[in-house]
Amino acid sequence: MPQVTEDLVAEALTKMAPFKAPGTDGIAMGFLQAMGKPIVCALQNLTQACWDWQYVPDVFRIARIVPLRKLGRGKYWEVKNWRPISLLNTIGKVMEVVTARCLQDIAEKHGLLPNTQMGARRKHSTEIAIDMLLSQIRTTWASEGVATLLSMDMTGAYDHVIKDRLTHILREKGVPAGLTGWVHSFMSNRRATFMFDGQESELLNIAAGIPQGSPISPILFLFYNSELLDICNPRDIRVHGLGFVDDVNLIAWGKTTRGNCNNLERVHERCLEWAERHGAQFAPDKYELMHLTRSPRRFDLGQTLQLGEMVKRPVAEVRVLGLVLDPKLQWTAHTKHLIEKMATQKNALTRLAGSTWGIPMPQARQVYTMVIRPAISYAAHAWHQPDTDKGRGTTPTRKLQKIQNECLRVVTGGFKATPIKSLETLAHVPPLDLYLSSRVAICTKKAHDSGMDDLIRKKCSRIQSTLRGPRGCADKEKVGQ
C-alpha cells in the first residue's frame, strides 16, 4: 500500500489553480495554499487516514453542479448542448489530486493501461496521439493501400460509469485494496445540488457516474474503458484503435474500402458488447467516417458503413483531437478552420491593444505569444514541413504567417508599410516557420524520450507486413479480412 508524503501533498497544492470556483464549502484554493506547511501536514494525515480506512467523508461527496454551454453546438434549450460541471469542496479536491497521482504512478509502473489510451497520462499527449494516427495512415499509403477512419462518440461517458464494475476492474488489475476501497467510497452515496440562473436546487442523489470536474475522474475512466481499447486493437482484424480519454478513433487499412468497412463493422460489434456489459452508450449518429487516400481513382470512396439500422456515409472533413483532417491530408480544411478562429482572436487583440487606450506593448506581446500563437501552432508536427523550396514552410504555414504579421502590427503599433522583419525584431518574435520548426523538433524529441516512437513503429510495421507480405509482395486481401 503506497504512503502519502508531505512532498506529494505540497506538489498537489502548488499545481492547483488558486482562484477556481469552490464547492459548497466556499473555501478558495488560494486560501489553502497561503496556509503553508500546517495545512500540508493536516492534509497528509487526512488523506492517509482515508486510504487506510477506505473511506471518503460525506462532505467531500457533495457537489454543486453548474451547466456550461458547449461552444459551437446547437440550440441552447437542448440538454445535450450543455456540460454539467461539478464544483467540489476544495479540501476534498486536494485528496483527489493526491489519489489520482498515486493511481497514475501505479498504472504506468505496472503497465495496467493500454499504450493506445492517451490523455490524463504522462508521456501520452495529444501530440503523440496525432503522430500515431497520421503515421499509420501514411504507412498505409506507402504500402499502396487505403485507410479508413471511424471517429466514435460516447454519450455521457463519465455519467455512465458503474461503481461496482469500476471497483471490480481495479481489483482485477491489482490496484491496492486501500485505494480500491477509497474509490468505492468516493462513488457511493454521492449527492449534488443543481445551480442555474442564480437558483440552486435541493440536494439530489446521484445514482451512478463520476463527477465531471473532479481531478481523479480522468484516470478512473481510463481504467474503466481499458478493456474497450484492447477490443479496438484486435490481432485478428486489420484495425487499430486510439483513445483519448472518452474519445475513440478506429483506423482500418487494406486494399479496398469495402474490406476496411467490413473490418470496422466487426470491431464495432465487439464495442457494443463491451458497452452492454459496462452500462456505456455510443451515439452512432455522431460518428464520422472518412476514407483517406491520395489516389482517389483507385478506390471506391463512396463505400458506407452499416451499423445496425444506421448507414454512415463518408464525409469530406473529420475533426480528430482538435485537428481537421481531409481525405488527402492536404490540410486545406484545417487551415481554413484556423484562419476563421484567428480572425476572432485578432479582433480581440486589436481591442485590447488600441494605440491610444490599449495595454502596453509588453502585455500585448504576452497575449499574442501565450494565447494566439499556441492556437496557431497546435499540432504543427502534423502539417508543418520545414525548409521547402517554395519559401517559408508549406502552404498552411505561409497563410498563417500572414496572421502573425497582422497581429504583430497590432502589438507594436506599426504602420502598414513597416517591414515584417522590423516588426519581428521589435516584438522579439521569430518568424512563424522557425517557431513551428522548433515545435516539431520538440515533439519529435518527446516521442523519442518517452519511448512512444517505438510503439508507433510497431503499429506501422504491422500495417506494412499485412499489406506487403513477409517478402515485400503485395497482399491480395480478401474482403472482410
Side-chain angles (χ1 to χ4, degrees):
M1 178 67 186
Q3 299 296 308
V4 181
T5 63
E6 289 188 8
D7 292 340
L8 192 58
V9 176
E11 181 183 3
L13 270 174
T14 302
K15 290 186 176 181
M16 297 183 73
F19 302 114
K20 276 195 173 182
T24 56
D25 59 2
I27 301 175
M29 184 60 66
F31 177 75
L32 295 182
Q33 294 171 340
M35 295 178 68
K37 189 170 183 179
I39 193 64
V40 172
C41 296
L43 291 175
Q44 176 199 7
N45 294 329
L46 175 63
T47 305
Q48 187 65 60
C50 290
W51 286 6
D52 295 338
W53 297 339
Q54 303 181 22
Y55 175 74
V56 177
D58 291 342
V59 69
F60 298 151
R61 285 178 274 165
I62 298 177
R64 177 177 286 158
I65 297 178
V66 178
L68 299 180
R69 188 179 177 186
K70 299 178 181 178
L71 297 177
R73 295 299 178 90
K75 300 175 181 179
Y76 68 89
W77 55 80
E78 296 180 354
V79 177
K80 64 181 181 180
N81 296 326
W82 295 80
R83 177 178 289 109
I85 301 298
S86 296
L87 304 181
L88 304 167
N89 287 354
T90 308
I91 295 177
K93 287 185 72 172
V94 177
M95 186 189 307
E96 293 166 24
V97 170
V98 173
T99 308
R101 173 65 183 273
C102 185
L103 286 174
Q104 291 170 353
D105 291 341
I106 292 173
E108 300 302 333
K109 181 179 180 180
H110 301 284
L112 304 183
L113 298 175
N115 281 330
T116 52
Q117 177 61 282
M118 306 293 174
R121 301 173 63 184
R122 290 185 293 276
K123 302 179 181 180
H124 290 72
S125 63
T126 53
E127 293 177 336
I128 300 296
I130 291 172
D131 192 11
M132 180 179 295
L133 178 65
L134 298 182
S135 296
Q136 293 178 81
I137 294 172
R138 288 165 176 153
T139 300
T140 302
W141 292 351
S143 301
E144 301 180 357
V146 58
T148 302
L149 173 68
L150 177 64
S151 179
M152 302 171 61
D153 186 270
M154 298 180 69
T155 302
Y158 283 11
D159 298 334
H160 291 87
V161 174
I162 301 174
K163 172 184 61 179
D164 293 335
R165 172 64 68 173
L166 175 59
T167 52
H168 172 74
I169 292 173
L170 295 177
R171 292 192 192 99
E172 288 292 312
K173 289 184 174 293
V175 175
L179 293 178
T180 303
W182 185 96
V183 172
H184 187 273
S185 176
F186 173 75
M187 296 183 63
S188 301
N189 302 320
R190 295 198 65 87
R191 296 179 296 167
T193 61
F194 190 84
M195 288 194 66
F196 188 78
D197 197 22
Q199 303 296 319
E200 187 170 8
S201 72
E202 61 183 9
L203 279 173
L204 305 172
N205 294 324
I206 307 298
I210 48 181
Q212 188 159 345
S214 170
I216 199 174
S217 293
I219 185 63
L220 290 181
F221 189 80
L222 293 192
F223 276 101
Y224 194 71
N225 77 334
S226 57
E227 182 185 348
L228 175 63
L229 265 295
D230 292 332
I231 291 173
C232 292
N233 287 274
R235 296 184 177 181
D236 58 331
I237 304 176
R238 295 179 180 181
V239 172
H240 284 159
L242 181 65
F244 193 87
V245 190
D246 59 340
D247 291 332
V248 179
N249 298 285
L250 302 179
I251 183 76
W253 67 92
K255 294 296 183 179
T256 65
T257 54
R258 182 66 260 161
N260 289 349
C261 289
N262 288 345
N263 289 337
L264 289 173
E265 290 170 2
R266 293 169 60 190
V267 174
H268 187 261
E269 286 295 326
R270 300 180 185 181
C271 293
L272 293 180
E273 295 173 359
W274 173 89
E276 185 176 357
R277 294 194 306 270
H278 290 74
Q281 292 183 4
F282 289 100
D285 57 312
K286 296 182 180 179
Y287 289 5
E288 297 287 356
L289 177 70
M290 174 181 283
H291 301 299
L292 298 109
T293 178
R294 287 187 174 170
S295 303
R297 295 184 180 180
R298 291 182 52 198
F299 305 99
D300 181 7
L301 301 186
Q303 284 291 341
T304 60
L305 200 63
Q306 186 73 40
L307 303 176
E309 298 180 355
M310 180 173 293
V311 177
K312 297 302 297 185
R313 302 185 182 280
V315 296
E317 297 178 9
V318 172
R319 186 181 178 91
V320 178
L321 299 176
L323 195 66
V324 183
L325 304 182
D326 58 85
K328 294 183 179 181
L329 295 186
Q330 294 179 333
W331 309 114
T332 304
H334 183 70
T335 305
K336 180 181 177 181
H337 169 75
L338 273 182
I339 292 175
E340 293 175 352
K341 182 179 179 181
M342 290 306 107
T344 303
Q345 297 199 11
K346 186 185 70 174
N347 290 337
L349 179 63
T350 302
R351 295 181 179 182
L352 285 173
S355 58
T356 57
W357 68 87
I359 58 179
M361 192 186 81
Q363 284 72 32
R365 176 188 180 277
Q366 188 176 20
V367 171
Y368 173 73
T369 56
M370 299 187 67
V371 178
I372 300 179
R373 190 172 63 176
I376 294 176
S377 61
Y378 175 74
H381 66 290
W383 47 266
H384 174 68
Q385 296 179 4
D387 300 329
T388 63
D389 296 334
K390 297 181 181 180
R392 289 186 170 183
T394 54
T395 300
T397 305
R398 294 197 301 273
K399 290 183 178 181
L400 295 174
Q401 176 68 53
K402 295 179 181 179
I403 296 177
Q404 172 166 293
N405 299 344
E406 294 171 356
C407 289
L408 291 184
R409 293 191 191 280
V410 175
V411 170
T412 61
F415 295 107
K416 291 184 178 180
T418 305
I420 299 302
K421 290 185 178 180
S422 299
L423 296 177
E424 293 170 345
T425 302
L426 181 60
H428 298 284
V429 173
L432 187 62
D433 67 311
L434 297 182
Y435 176 75
L436 294 178
S437 298
S438 69
R439 297 303 307 168
V440 173
I442 291 173
C443 179
T444 304
K445 185 177 185 301
K446 284 183 178 179
H448 175 74
D449 295 342
S450 63
M452 294 302 293
D453 55 347
D454 291 333
L455 176 63
I456 295 174
R457 280 194 292 268
K458 289 180 181 178
K459 293 289 185 181
C460 294
S461 295
R462 185 191 174 200
I463 295 175
Q464 289 177 329
S465 62
T466 53
L467 288 180
R468 303 297 298 174
R471 297 182 180 179
C473 300
D475 175 34
K476 296 181 180 180
E477 176 188 26
K478 295 181 181 179
V479 175
Q481 289 186 350

